[in-house]
């Protein structure tokens, strides 16, 4: 099997503790696992090649201070449990401890469970129990469902931070600045999972500066094309030909609506801006 390095603090041959999992999203339950990692530790991501990501691999260094390695699920899904663990020991020659979630499965047809790892490998294994928040088990799958349903606050609670996506800035029609309010048009990068279509209170980061903002995702009234755009809630903001932005979603404001004319649309946008400013006063940027 081929293990690739995402970013390295500790070299593979020096790793003593290893946490294994899919780790898409890097939510609160994952950080419970990481508490069991000591010095000379690393994280091994079993990459299932999701169409859309909660936290792409290149973003993971923002949240963790361990080496991160990646292994394609397709490379190991045919392996028996002992075969997988033997290959793992070859790759991490000085491995002393493996850290897993309670629901970890491995081997052909997911035939093996977390408590089989130590029996088959002889390596000390820590199995971290289920982690719940507000009575719900914290999982990436549930966070995805929250985002798809516009339940941003619930998703953020499980992540332990504001959900964010990185986007390239693209030039639009210029209609907003002339007839409505000026917006920055965005094109999502790196297969991020966008939340449900709608209007959101958000923070937008441009060149490491945070701005309160209103974010729109969905079909525009003006040309019936899909749009992802953000309006900066700062009267003194100047567009400096920024190249990219990161939008931090804080709260869902409303569903998308159809409007009879631009004056109705502009009136609603101004209401959105007012509501967003009220909400964002109670949040920090991240």
């Amino acid at each position: 099997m081929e293990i690739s390095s995402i970013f390295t603090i500790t070299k593979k041959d020096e790793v003593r503790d290893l946490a294994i999992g899919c780790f898409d999203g890097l939510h609160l339950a994952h950080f419970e696992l990481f508490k069991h990692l000591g010095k000379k530790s690393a994280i091994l991501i079993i990459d299932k090649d999701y169409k859309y990501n909660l936290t792409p691999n290149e973003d993971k260094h923002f949240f963790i201070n361990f080496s991160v390695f990646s292994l394609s699920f397709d490379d190991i899904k045919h392996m028996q449990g002992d075969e997988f663990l033997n290959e793992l020991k070859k790759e991490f020659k000085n491995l002393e401890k493996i850290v897993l979630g309670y629901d970890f499965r491995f081997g052909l047809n997911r035939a093996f469970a977390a408590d089989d790892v130590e029996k088959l490998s002889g390596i000390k294994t820590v199995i971290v129990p289920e982690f719940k928040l507000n009575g719900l088990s914290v999982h990436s799958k549930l966070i995805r469902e929250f985002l798809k349903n516009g339940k941003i606050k619930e998703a953020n609670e499980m992540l332990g931070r504001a959900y964010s996506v990185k986007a390239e800035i693209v030039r639009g029609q210029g209609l907003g600045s002339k007839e409505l309010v000026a917006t920055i048009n965005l094109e999502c990068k790196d297969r991020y999972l966008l939340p449900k279509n709608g209007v959101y209170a958000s923070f937008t980061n441009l060149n490491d500066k945070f701005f309160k903002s209103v974010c729109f995702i969905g079909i525009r009234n003006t040309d019936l094309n899909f749009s992802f755009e953000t309006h900066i809630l700062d009267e003194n903001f100047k567009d400096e030909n920024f190249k990219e932005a990161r939008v931090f979603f804080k709260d869902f404001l409303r569903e998308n609506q159809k409007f009879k004319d631009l004056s109705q649309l502009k009136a609603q946008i101004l209401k959105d801006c007012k509501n967003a400013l009220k909400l964002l006063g109670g949040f920090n940027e991240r």
Side-chain angles (χ1 to χ4, degrees):
M1 61 189 188
E2 184 176 344
I3 293 178
S4 58
S5 174
I6 304 302
F7 53 91
T8 305
I9 298 170
T10 302
K11 294 179 181 178
K12 194 163 56 171
D13 287 349
E14 297 175 344
V15 171
R16 300 288 190 272
D17 298 353
L18 184 68
I20 306 175
C22 292
F23 300 125
D24 183 41
L26 288 179
H27 50 63
L28 294 180
H30 293 148
F31 286 97
E32 289 298 306
L33 266 70
F34 303 157
K35 289 177 182 179
H36 296 272
L37 298 175
K39 294 180 180 179
K40 302 291 184 182
S41 295
I43 294 166
L44 177 61
I45 297 167
I46 307 300
D47 190 350
K48 292 191 174 181
D49 194 27
Y50 292 109
K51 184 177 180 180
Y52 299 108
N53 297 304
L54 296 177
T55 310
N57 286 341
E58 58 268 30
D59 280 0
K60 288 185 167 68
H61 71 278
F62 291 129
F63 310 112
I64 48 180
N65 294 313
F66 303 106
S67 292
V68 177
F69 299 94
S70 178
L71 172 61
S72 172
F73 175 70
D74 288 337
D75 285 354
I76 60 171
K77 64 184 180 182
H78 64 281
M79 291 183 176
Q80 295 294 338
D82 56 350
E83 182 184 2
F84 166 68
L85 291 171
N86 286 335
E87 289 296 316
L88 193 70
K89 289 161 74 174
K90 289 178 185 177
E91 292 286 338
F92 296 94
K93 295 180 173 61
N94 292 295
L95 192 57
E96 296 175 356
K97 183 172 71 177
I98 296 173
V99 181
L100 305 167
Y102 72 99
D103 56 351
F104 181 80
R105 306 290 305 189
F106 67 107
L108 183 64
N109 298 322
R110 294 169 48 88
F112 299 87
D115 57 6
D116 292 315
V117 171
E118 188 164 343
K119 298 173 190 174
L120 293 174
S121 68
I123 297 173
K124 178 184 177 183
T125 303
V126 174
I127 301 173
V128 179
E130 181 180 20
F131 181 80
K132 289 186 175 184
L133 189 66
N134 301 324
L136 296 174
S137 184
V138 176
H139 283 286
S140 296
K141 183 178 180 181
L142 183 54
I143 294 170
R144 286 171 173 271
E145 288 302 311
F146 283 147
L147 292 172
K148 289 175 183 177
N149 288 290
K151 295 183 176 181
I152 294 299
K153 289 194 290 186
E154 291 87 344
N156 289 349
E157 284 181 352
M158 288 195 169
L159 288 167
R161 63 181 186 279
Y163 180 67
S164 68
V165 303
K166 185 167 62 176
E168 291 181 354
I169 294 174
V170 294
R171 295 299 147 192
Q173 302 168 301
L175 181 62
S177 59
K178 295 175 184 176
E179 303 287 345
L180 300 167
V181 297
T183 61
I184 298 172
N185 294 278
L186 304 170
E187 187 173 305
C188 209
K189 298 180 68 175
D190 301 319
R191 302 189 303 176
Y192 285 92
L193 176 66
L194 279 176
K196 171 186 174 178
N197 287 0
V199 180
Y200 295 87
S202 58
F203 284 96
T204 298
N205 185 284
L206 298 160
N207 282 5
D208 295 324
K209 293 182 180 179
F210 282 91
F211 300 91
K212 293 176 181 178
S213 58
V214 172
C215 176
F216 171 83
I217 302 172
I219 304 300
R220 280 190 299 238
N221 275 257
T222 52
D223 60 7
L224 301 182
N225 288 324
F226 177 81
S227 178
F228 173 30
E229 54 193 69
T230 185
H231 167 63
I232 304 299
L233 298 170
D234 184 339
E235 294 179 357
N236 298 316
F237 174 76
K238 294 180 180 179
D239 187 347
E240 300 176 8
N241 290 318
F242 300 105
K243 302 298 182 185
E244 66 177 28
R246 183 177 286 273
V247 177
F248 293 77
F249 295 90
K250 289 293 185 175
D251 208 345
F252 183 80
L253 290 176
R254 63 172 175 87
E255 302 279 351
N256 290 344
Q257 301 169 237
K258 289 184 178 180
F259 296 91
K260 292 181 180 179
D261 53 46
L262 291 180
S263 63
Q264 285 190 354
L265 173 57
K266 184 171 184 178
Q268 181 59 57
I269 291 172
L270 294 176
K271 286 182 184 178
D272 296 336
C273 294
K274 186 176 180 180
N275 291 335
L277 282 170
K278 287 181 182 177
L279 286 168
L280 293 171
F283 291 116
N284 60 32
E285 290 89 345
R286 296 180 186 272

